[in-house]
Amino acid sequence: MITLPVPGAINDDSLTQALMRRKTCRSYTGAAVTLNEVGTLLYLTLGYLPPREDAHADPVAPGLEARRSCPSGGGLNACEGFVLAQNVSGLEPGIYAYHPAEHALSRINALPDPELGQLLGGQHFINNLPLGVFITARFDRLWWKYEHSRAYRMAFIEAGHLSQTFQLVATTLGLNTWLTGAFADAQVETLLGIAGSAEQPLFFVGCGESDGHAMCQEMRDLLSGAQS
């Protein structure tokens, strides 16, 4: 076995600190997040970034110039984001579609009824999460290039990239994160206005102010009672 350098050799930069501090939390205060924080999260996760300075040396096909911070199968940017805003300063609660080219939101629907936790697999501890994003995949953007089974693989990989980037940006902003793939598909598709289309929800990631606990209070009480 070859001994590797210890992690202490890592530079004390913001990316390193975000990777070290990122934590899935299940106990949120419900405090509002700001519209500026929402804009930062969406732009750095799903937004179209400016061309690189050396872009002339890396030509791409016409129509595929849009570039995100995350890699995407075939450069197709097949994943989209729908914002669930429960407590965002300056933004009416509801469901919004994010438009990366314009870096703008459009309102799609009211907040879900029943509460968010019921929609997300009965995980009621998340009912007061102030902000979340449903990551969807436009399979019609993938099928022409990849055979169906490969298209699904590319979509899930891209959703994973986006989820991790969202979490690192949120952590850098001082917010804790939570994520899940458990939700009622048909209800979510209706909520997002994509039912019956080639677009499907794959994942949900959210953030907000937390007390830092990995477990919700109900679970901590349950475990405390079991140990006593």
Side-chain angles (χ1 to χ4, degrees), residues 66-120:
R67 178 179 71 88
R68 286 174 170 163
S69 62
C70 300
S72 171
L76 300 175
N77 295 321
C79 285
E80 301 285 1
F82 288 81
V83 176
L84 180 139
Q86 294 202 121
N87 192 6
V88 176
S89 300
L91 188 65
E92 182 182 355
I95 304 296
Y96 295 82
Y98 176 61
H99 304 279
E102 296 82 8
H103 186 50
L105 299 173
S106 63
R107 198 168 192 272
I108 299 295
N109 223 326
L111 288 175
D113 183 22
E115 291 182 298
L116 179 61
Q118 183 64 31
L119 190 70
L120 302 179

Side-chain angles (χ1 to χ4, degrees), residues 55-212:
H56 63 278
D58 188 23
V60 296
L64 297 179
E65 298 90 351
R67 178 179 71 88
R68 286 174 170 163
S69 62
C70 300
S72 171
L76 300 175
N77 295 321
C79 285
E80 301 285 1
F82 288 81
V83 176
L84 180 139
Q86 294 202 121
N87 192 6
V88 176
S89 300
L91 188 65
E92 182 182 355
I95 304 296
Y96 295 82
Y98 176 61
H99 304 279
E102 296 82 8
H103 186 50
L105 299 173
S106 63
R107 198 168 192 272
I108 299 295
N109 223 326
L111 288 175
D113 183 22
E115 291 182 298
L116 179 61
Q118 183 64 31
L119 190 70
L120 302 179
Q123 300 175 95
H124 300 288
F125 53 82
I126 215 66
N127 281 342
N128 64 343
L129 188 75
L131 176 71
V133 174
F134 286 98
I135 299 173
T136 67
R138 285 278 305 275
F139 286 101
D140 54 327
R141 292 183 186 170
L142 293 166
W143 284 330
W144 70 269
K145 183 177 178 67
Y146 301 106
E147 295 183 1
H148 281 225
S149 60
R150 184 69 60 175
Y152 282 105
R153 183 183 301 183
M154 293 300 100
F156 284 118
I157 290 172
E158 184 173 336
H161 289 318
L162 294 168
S163 169
Q164 176 70 343
T165 298
F166 180 98
Q167 292 177 83
L168 293 178
V169 175
T171 301
T172 302
L173 292 173
L175 302 170
N176 283 116
T177 59
W178 179 79
L179 64 167
T180 186
F183 45 74
D185 295 80
Q187 289 178 264
V188 170
E189 290 169 12
T190 299
L191 181 68
L192 305 184
I194 58 174
S197 72
E199 185 172 6
Q200 295 178 10
L202 300 182
F203 211 56
F204 177 89
V205 60
C207 65
E209 180 184 283
S210 169
D211 59 15

